[in-house]
Amino acid sequence: MLTQIAISALSAAFVLPQLRYEQNALEPVISRETIEYHYGKHLQAYVNTLNTLVKDTDYGKMTLEDIVRTAPAGPVFNNAGQVLNHALYFEQFRPVAATGKSSVPQGRLAEAINAAFGSFDVFKEKMNTAAITLFGAGWAWLAQDEKGGLVIVQCPNAGNPVTSGLVPLLCFDVWEHAYYVDYRNRRADHVAALWQIIDWDVVASRMK
């Protein structure tokens, strides 16, 4: 997982996670231009800032998730949260033209979704609503609780479900920089389109 390679053993620094696809591979859902800005500039800036903030501190010896779990509100938490969130976000996508990938969850993940929400369609509706109605910037998450059940949570700004003891599985980024180049102010259209590029194998692999 991307979150597992965020620390370099050689440099003891957080590094920009590598994409699993070409920068134009998510078009037309997410354009190359958006990837260039969102991944190449915004995420890189969070990584760079986090490295500056944690240098010569105890945080520099911690994993990304542990920083997010323990850091108080403020710059370290904000930047660590955004690095973690974006690592999970960019990892969960597959190229539009990918073959051999199911467009819906399978196996244990599908069973958990049905148990929690009744059906995949109801889950989609609730996830869309969480993303669309989140006020301001932030994230909508599908997460797993300690009993293995699934929940949908809204996290403003750099929030991540790990701070509530949950396991993050799937996320929709509704900061404007995630969609404004391609969709302008049409957040709902952006959210609706994301379902075309979810790699459900990656999402399922995050379950405990």
Side-chain angles (χ1 to χ4, degrees):
M1 292 176 59
L2 290 180
T3 53
Q4 300 304 311
I5 63 170
I7 279 192
S8 165
L10 295 177
S11 64
F14 293 95
V15 297
L16 185 71
Q18 295 298 305
L19 294 177
R20 302 167 56 242
Y21 39 79
E22 297 299 322
Q23 293 196 6
N24 65 347
L26 304 182
E27 293 180 337
V29 177
I30 301 176
S31 70
R32 174 192 285 272
E33 183 178 5
T34 290
I35 292 291
E36 289 173 348
Y37 279 96
H38 193 185
Y39 167 79
K41 296 186 183 298
H42 286 280
L43 178 52
Q44 183 68 71
Y46 291 129
V47 171
N48 293 345
T49 302
L50 179 61
N51 282 325
T52 299
L53 291 170
V54 303
K55 184 178 180 181
D56 299 325
T57 73
D58 289 341
Y59 290 123
K61 304 172 186 177
M62 298 169 64
T63 68
L64 193 57
E65 290 188 9
D66 284 343
I67 294 175
V68 175
R69 286 192 185 97
T70 60
V76 171
F77 173 83
N78 289 338
N79 284 276
Q82 287 294 71
V83 174
L84 176 59
N85 294 355
H86 283 91
L88 293 167
Y89 177 78
F90 287 115
E91 183 189 45
Q92 73 190 2
F93 296 133
R94 61 176 176 82
V96 173
T99 58
K101 293 285 187 179
S102 175
S103 60
V104 295
Q106 302 292 321
R108 181 176 168 228
L109 176 59
E111 293 171 1
I113 287 174
N114 290 337
F117 306 105
S119 71
F120 179 64
D121 287 339
V122 172
F123 159 62
K124 282 182 63 176
E125 180 181 352
K126 290 182 179 295
M127 188 74 178
N128 285 348
T129 298
I132 294 166
T133 61
L134 179 64
F135 183 76
W139 302 77
W141 295 89
L142 174 68
Q144 185 182 32
D145 63 27
E146 60 183 7
K147 296 182 179 179
L150 302 186
V151 294
I152 292 172
V153 294
Q154 293 176 313
C155 293
N157 301 317
N160 186 290
V162 300
T163 61
S164 299
L166 302 172
V167 178
L169 303 180
L170 172 72
C171 57
F172 286 174
D173 184 350
V174 291
W175 283 67
E176 285 191 344
H177 62 238
Y179 61 88
Y180 205 82
V181 169
D182 302 325
Y183 298 89
R184 295 300 186 262
N185 64 332
R186 294 177 287 113
R187 180 190 286 191
D189 291 348
H190 162 68
V191 170
L194 289 176
W195 297 99
Q196 301 175 51
I197 56 173
I198 301 299
D199 189 328
W200 293 108
D201 292 338
V202 170
V203 177
S205 73
R206 297 170 176 169
M207 297 179 71
K208 299 300 184 181

